[in-house]
């Protein structure tokens, strides 16, 4: 890595989290001159008495005009944004989600879950779970097919995606078939006691620091015991059987790299279908960069191939079911 680049990274990789300052910095992303061209629709789902906002991003004008009125069951990506469970929002992720809808050809449903420290674990998780349950049981304004829904998240959102899929399996309320985790935060420790080498080698100097991750966990947890809960730190789960087909993308210079890849191995060992790719030369957070960045292009190549393969597999299984019915 060029010395000049490394110098800039070190200057930006300050430790510690100050909530309001971090949120104001994140809110700068709202100043997006392209937002008037995004095809969006706002809606809500209920988590108990609380209304969880959902923003739908449509790939094309035609998809938006048809919407729920077409009677079709379009493929949907249910997306949980990153930000350490503390910062970011659907508004800040507008460009990411609009690009995702255009690049995949699928409707993206971005969930505005409640943030810590005002709402600590498991409030945000349960907002995401309520949104997923509404989509998978076809109680949303879209006419949804549970086999054509993908749960996806980046960073802390990857944590929430994995936890929602585990909780769905454990409770039996619905059964996700696909999940995509982008440099997910899955562990409960980012000190020197961490078992993962990337926390030590990439924990300083690469934008996201190990110190920041520890601060995020402290802001997210309701009590220290939360850190032993697999829904808080999914890599702690003992039973990885019967999980969705999974795509995991990690970044080379990211303290979260090794835990994402280890999570993939645990899923594979339990008999699940898993793809894990490390994006060479990438830092944590690269997915929010423009589509012209090679790391983003590479990621969408993996994402689209994964989604297309899953759609083909589902189509094949559907045909097999029809044949079975005809034979009987």
């Amino acid at each position: 890595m060029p010395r000049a680049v490394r110098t800039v990274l070190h200057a930006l990789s300050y430790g510690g989290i100050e909530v309001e300052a971090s949120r104001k910095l994140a809110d700068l992303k709202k100043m997006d001159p392209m937002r008037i061209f995004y095809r969006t629709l706002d809606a809500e789902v209920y988590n108990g008495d609380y209304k969880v906002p959902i923003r739908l991003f449509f790939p094309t004008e035609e998809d938006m005009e048809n919407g729920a009125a077409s009677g079709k069951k379009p493929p949907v990506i249910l997306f949980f944004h990153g930000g350490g469970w503390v910062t970011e929002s659907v508004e800040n992720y507008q460009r990411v989600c609009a690009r995702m809808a255009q690049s995949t050809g699928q409707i993206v449903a971005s969930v505005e879950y409640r943030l810590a420290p005002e709402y600590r674990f498991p409030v945000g998780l349960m907002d995401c779970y309520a949104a997923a349950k509404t989509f998978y049981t076809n109680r949303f304004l879209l006419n949804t097919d549970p086999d054509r829904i993908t749960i996806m998240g980046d960073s802390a959102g990857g944590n929430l995606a994995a936890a929602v899929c585990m909780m769905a399996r454990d409770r039996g309320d619905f059964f996700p078939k696909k999940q995509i985790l982008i440099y997910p935060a899955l562990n409960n420790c980012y000190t020197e006691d961490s078992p993962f080498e990337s926390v030590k080698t990439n924990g300083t100097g690469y934008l996201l620091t190990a110190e920041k991750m520890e601060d995020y966990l402290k802001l997210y947890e309701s009590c220290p015991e939360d850190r032993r809960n697999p829904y808080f730190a999914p890599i702690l789960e003992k039973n990885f059987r019967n999980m969705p087909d999974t795509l995991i993308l990690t970044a080379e210079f990211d303290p979260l790299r090794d835990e994402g890849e280890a999570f993939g191995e645990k899923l594979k060992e339990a008999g699940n279908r898993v793809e894990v790719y490390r994006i060479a030369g990438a830092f944590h957070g690269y997915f929010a960069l423009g589509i012209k960045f090679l790391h983003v292009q590479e990621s969408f190549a993996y994402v689209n191939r994964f989604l297309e393969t899953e759609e083909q597999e589902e189509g094949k299984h559907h045909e097999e079911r029809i044949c079975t019915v005809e034979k009987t």
Side-chain angles (χ1 to χ4, degrees):
M1 182 184 301
R3 181 178 297 177
V5 173
R6 186 175 293 278
T7 300
V8 172
L9 283 173
H10 275 284
L12 294 174
S13 302
Y14 51 88
I17 294 294
E18 201 288 310
V19 175
E20 288 307 314
S22 297
R23 286 177 176 173
K24 287 178 181 178
L25 184 61
D27 282 347
L28 292 175
K29 299 172 189 174
K30 292 180 181 178
M31 296 186 293
D32 181 1
M34 293 299 295
R35 62 186 299 171
I36 60 174
F37 300 108
Y38 299 153
R39 306 167 186 91
T40 64
L41 176 65
D42 288 337
E44 297 168 335
V45 302
Y46 277 93
N47 176 16
D49 295 331
Y50 178 73
K51 294 180 180 179
V52 183
I54 307 281
R55 180 163 295 171
L56 300 175
F57 295 81
F58 295 88
T60 66
E61 197 73 39
E62 182 181 2
D63 290 319
M64 185 174 182
E65 289 175 357
N66 287 338
S70 67
K72 298 178 181 179
K73 295 184 176 181
V76 175
I77 295 173
L78 186 62
F79 183 75
F80 309 138
H81 66 76
W85 308 278
V86 173
T87 67
E88 304 296 353
S89 64
V90 166
E91 194 80 11
N92 295 350
Y93 265 70
Q94 282 224 131
R95 182 176 292 186
V96 175
C97 291
R99 184 187 67 225
M100 193 186 309
Q102 294 162 3
S103 298
T104 63
Q106 299 199 9
I107 295 172
V108 175
S110 186
V111 180
E112 190 76 279
Y113 59 89
R114 284 172 282 184
L115 299 176
E118 293 86 352
Y119 300 97
R120 295 174 181 265
F121 176 83
V123 175
L125 170 61
M126 297 315 299
D127 285 347
C128 294
Y129 187 82
K133 185 175 180 179
T134 301
F135 273 78
Y136 277 92
T137 55
N138 200 13
R139 297 178 183 176
F140 193 66
L141 56 87
L142 288 176
N143 190 20
T144 51
D145 178 350
D147 291 340
R148 305 190 77 195
I149 299 171
T150 303
I151 294 183
M152 180 175 179
D154 72 317
S155 193
N159 168 289
L160 294 168
V164 164
C165 289
M166 283 182 176
M167 188 177 288
R169 179 202 61 184
D170 296 342
R171 295 187 174 190
D173 290 331
F174 55 94
F175 300 95
K177 295 288 186 68
K178 298 161 286 188
Q179 66 174 340
I180 299 176
L181 312 179
I182 310 294
Y183 38 73
L186 301 167
N187 199 26
N188 63 354
C189 174
Y190 296 92
T191 68
E192 286 299 315
D193 294 330
S194 171
F196 297 111
E197 184 62 26
S198 62
V199 173
K200 302 175 179 64
T201 57
N202 298 334
T204 58
Y206 295 106
L207 301 181
L208 177 65
T209 66
E211 183 180 353
K212 285 181 183 178
M213 282 304 303
E214 272 297 309
D215 283 352
Y216 282 135
L217 291 183
K218 290 172 185 174
L219 292 167
Y220 182 45
E221 67 187 19
S222 295
C223 60
E225 288 72 27
D226 285 341
R227 295 209 191 194
R228 297 194 289 271
N229 188 329
Y231 297 144
F232 182 94
I235 203 165
L236 301 181
E237 175 63 37
K238 297 289 191 264
N239 175 18
F240 287 91
R241 296 191 297 275
N242 301 317
M243 291 292 287
D245 292 352
T246 302
L247 171 65
I248 298 174
L249 302 182
T250 64
E252 180 180 3
F253 299 111
D254 182 358
L256 308 186
R257 182 194 68 204
D258 292 352
E259 65 198 67
E261 294 172 5
F263 189 74
E265 284 302 312
K266 288 177 180 289
L267 289 172
K268 283 182 184 178
E269 290 169 2
N272 302 286
R273 178 184 293 179
V274 184
E275 297 178 28
V276 180
Y277 300 100
R278 180 186 296 182
I279 307 300
F283 307 115
H284 188 90
Y286 76 84
F287 197 67
L289 299 174
I291 193 64
K292 293 183 179 180
F293 284 83
L294 294 180
H295 296 147
V296 178
Q297 293 178 17
E298 181 181 356
S299 296
F300 273 114
Y302 292 132
V303 167
N304 283 324
R305 188 172 67 188
F306 176 78
L307 293 173
E308 289 166 6
T309 300
E310 294 297 308
E311 284 280 307
Q312 292 168 1
E313 286 292 323
E314 181 52 38
K316 183 174 70 174
H317 292 326
H318 180 67
E319 291 177 2
E320 289 173 352
R321 287 195 293 269
I322 292 175
C323 290
T324 301
V325 170
E326 289 178 346
K327 287 178 182 177
T328 55

